[in-house]
Amino acid sequence: MTTPYYQYDLHLLQRTLDELLDCISAHPGWHVHYAIKANANPLILEPVRKSGLGIDCVSGFEIEAALKAGFNPSGIVFAGVGKADWEIDMALRNDIFCFNVESEAELEVIQERALIQGKTARIAFRVNPDVDAHTHSNITTGLAGNKFGINLDLLEDIVARSMEMKGISPEGLHFHIGSQILDMNPFAELCSRINGIQQKLKNTGFTARHINVGGGLGVDYGNPEDNPIPDFRSYFDTFSRHLALQPGQELHFELGRSIVAQCGQLITRVLYVKKNPGRQFAITDAGMTDLIRPALYGAYHRIVNRDSSGQPQKYDVVGPVCESSDIFGKDRMLNEVRRGDTLAIMSAGAYGETMASRYNLRRLPGSTSLEAD
Ligand code: LLP
C-alpha cells in the first residue's frame, strides 16, 4: 500500500473492547458512547458498533457517519459548543438520544427547531465543573475559563427555565474535564463536584435521569508495547466509589482515545536521510498533515524502524511539510535508517486520521487493517 497510511490492528481493538465491556458489565445502567471524533474510519466503527456501544458526536457529519455505520440513533449523544441549525434539525429528525446543551442561547434555538418539527428534544445540561484535569492546556475543557459548558453559577436558572419550555425535555447532566488523563484524582474530584451539583439542583425540582461524565481516560504513549490496553478498571472503579448516583439514575461515558489510540499506527517511508554536523534527520513521506498531534500538542509518539536491524542511532524524524513544527520526534534512537525503510509511528489510532488535512495540497493518508496489509 502507498505510504503514508494508517494501519489498524483490529485484533487489539477487539481485545480492548472486550476488556471495556467486561469492566462495565459489573455496572447495570452504565453506558459507553464511543467518541467518534477520535476515529471515524469504517474499519474501526464496525467492531465498535458490534460491541454494542453508543456514539458521541459533535457535528452533523459525525451523526451522518454514525448512522451510515449502522449505529442506532437511540444511542447517539450530540455535544458541541456551536451546533448549527441544520445539525440540530438532522439530529431531531433522527430522534437521537440526547443533545448536550452548552448555553441558554443554544437551548432556545433547540426549542425553536424542535417546535418547528413538532418534536420534543431530550437534553442534558453540559456543566462546566471547574475541575482541573492537569493535562495539556489545549485538551483541558472543564475549567471555568474554557469556552465549554454552562457556568455553575448560571445552572439553576437555566434548569428552572428549561422545565417550563415546550419542545424541551430536560433529562440529564453532562460533564467532560479533558483528555489523556492518567491520574484518577481529577475524575474523583469531578464526582464530588457532581454530588454537590445534584444536591444544589434539588431546589429546582429537577432530578436528572442520567449523568454523563464524558471521556478523557488516557493511554500509555511511552510504552504501548507493554501497555496496549488502558486501565478501564481503575477508571470505572473511581466513579463507582466516588459518584453518588440517585436511585434509578443511569451513568454515561464518552470514551474516545482509550478505545482506539493503541490499535493504530501511522506507517511512513523514509525519503531521505540528511546528515548535518552533530544531527541527522530522517525525512519521512508522512507529515503533520497526516498526524498533527506532535506539532499541535508537543505530543510524544513512539517511533520504530520496521525494516532495519542496524545499529541504533539518533535521529530527528521530520516530515516534508513546509513548517518547522513538522517534527514527529527529536533525538530518537532508531535502528540505522536508510532511504526506503518504513517507520511505524505508534499509538496513532486516536485523533490521527480524523485530524488529517490537505495543507500543502497533500493527499490524505490511506488506511488498512493489519490483517489485510
Ligand atoms: N466528550 C467530549 C465532550 C469531548 O470533548 C471529548 C474529546 C470526548 C468526550 C472524548 O475524549 P477522550 O476519551 O478521547 O479523551 N485532539 C486531541 C484530543 C481532543 C479531545 C477533544 N474532546 C488529541 O489529539 O489529544
Side-chain angles (χ1 to χ4, degrees):
M1 178 152 196
T2 319
T3 52
Y5 64 92
Y6 279 89
Q7 185 191 59
Y8 296 111
D9 179 347
L10 298 182
H11 182 67
L12 175 57
L13 175 59
Q14 194 56 55
R15 279 173 51 215
T16 309
L17 288 165
D18 290 346
E19 170 70 8
L20 172 69
L21 294 178
D22 187 47
C23 291
I24 203 153
S25 63
H27 304 281
W30 288 25
H31 311 273
V32 175
H33 302 259
Y34 166 62
I36 191 173
K37 65 171 86 64
N39 192 319
N41 191 309
L43 286 171
I44 300 284
L45 293 185
E46 195 190 331
V48 171
R49 178 184 54 77
K50 283 191 179 147
S51 72
L53 303 192
I55 283 271
D56 160 35
C57 296
V58 290
S59 75
F61 291 117
E62 283 193 352
I63 295 176
E64 189 180 60
L67 293 173
K68 205 166 150 203
F71 284 88
N72 198 319
S74 64
I76 296 180
V77 293
F78 183 20
V81 70
K83 302 178 187 74
D85 293 13
W86 73 268
E87 295 176 308
I88 296 172
D89 289 346
M90 84 171 277
L92 283 166
R93 260 196 319 278
N94 285 289
D95 280 321
I96 63 158
F97 171 63
C98 191
F99 290 82
N100 294 335
V101 171
E102 304 234 4
S103 66
E104 190 165 6
E106 181 193 331
L107 187 64
E108 283 164 8
V109 174
I110 294 178
Q111 175 190 37
E112 179 193 305
R113 307 310 300 180
L115 291 178
I116 291 172
Q117 286 192 32
K119 294 215 160 145
T120 299
R122 287 175 291 275
I123 64 122
F125 302 95
R126 175 167 184 182
V127 183
N128 186 321
D130 200 16
V131 169
D132 194 346
H134 300 291
T135 182
H136 190 281
S137 61
N138 285 14
I139 49 175
T140 290
T141 47
L143 281 173
N146 291 132
K147 69 176 175 181
F148 298 102
I150 297 168
N151 187 288
L152 276 177
D153 296 336
L154 305 176
L155 183 62
E156 279 169 87
D157 281 353
I158 297 182
V159 168
R161 193 158 166 230
S162 74
M163 289 168 73
E164 285 160 9
M165 284 173 133
K166 286 208 177 66
I168 295 288
S169 172
E171 312 211 328
L173 293 173
H174 173 246
F175 306 83
H176 175 73
I177 56 173
S179 201
Q180 183 51 19
I181 303 166
L182 289 165
D183 172 6
M184 295 300 127
N185 288 319
F187 293 120
E189 211 182 306
L190 171 64
C191 291
S192 63
R193 192 55 61 99
I194 297 173
N195 296 342
I197 292 169
Q198 294 232 75
Q199 279 310 108
K200 222 169 133 196
L201 282 179
K202 287 206 164 134
N203 303 331
T204 62
F206 169 71
T207 312
R209 273 194 208 168
H210 47 87
I211 304 289
N212 181 336
V213 290
L217 176 63
V219 303
D220 190 347
Y221 283 100
N223 193 357
E225 287 94 341
D226 289 341
N227 289 318
I229 299 185
D231 192 357
F232 293 117
R233 206 163 290 279
S234 302
Y235 174 72
F236 290 127
D237 278 356
T238 304
F239 289 94
S240 177
R241 274 189 288 129
H242 297 277
L243 189 62
L245 287 175
Q246 311 286 320
Q249 219 165 37
E250 308 221 320
L251 184 59
H252 294 249
F253 299 85
E254 301 169 341
L255 293 171
R257 186 192 313 270
S258 51
I259 298 175
V260 293
Q262 301 292 29
C263 77
Q265 303 185 353
L266 177 61
I267 307 298
T268 178
R269 199 170 294 280
V270 175
L271 295 172
Y272 301 103
V273 177
K274 175 164 160 176
K275 296 181 194 241
N276 281 358
R279 192 163 283 280
Q280 51 183 353
F281 297 93
I283 302 172
T284 59
D285 64 0
M288 64 193 283
T289 53
D290 305 293
L291 176 66
I292 202 174
R293 302 194 69 258
L296 192 58
Y297 314 115
Y300 178 91
H301 285 259
R302 215 173 109 62
I303 303 173
V304 295
N305 187 346
R306 304 200 307 176
D307 294 337
S308 163
S309 49
Q311 272 304 316
Q313 297 180 24
K314 216 185 250 181
Y315 297 89
D316 285 1
V317 181
V318 303
V321 174
C322 300
E323 295 279 344
S324 5
S325 58
D326 187 23
I327 299 174
F328 288 121
K330 277 195 158 176
D331 295 328
R332 296 301 184 86
M333 292 305 288
L334 299 176
N335 288 351
E336 184 185 8
V337 176
R338 300 146 310 179
R339 171 174 163 85
D341 284 354
T342 56
L343 309 185
I345 306 180
M346 317 274 289
S347 316
Y351 306 108
E353 203 183 345
T354 42
M355 292 183 80
S357 80
R358 288 213 51 217
Y359 180 44
N360 283 193
L361 296 189
R362 287 166 52 75
R363 254 200 310 256
L364 288 173
S367 63
T368 187
S369 66
L370 176 63
E371 294 72 9
D373 203 6

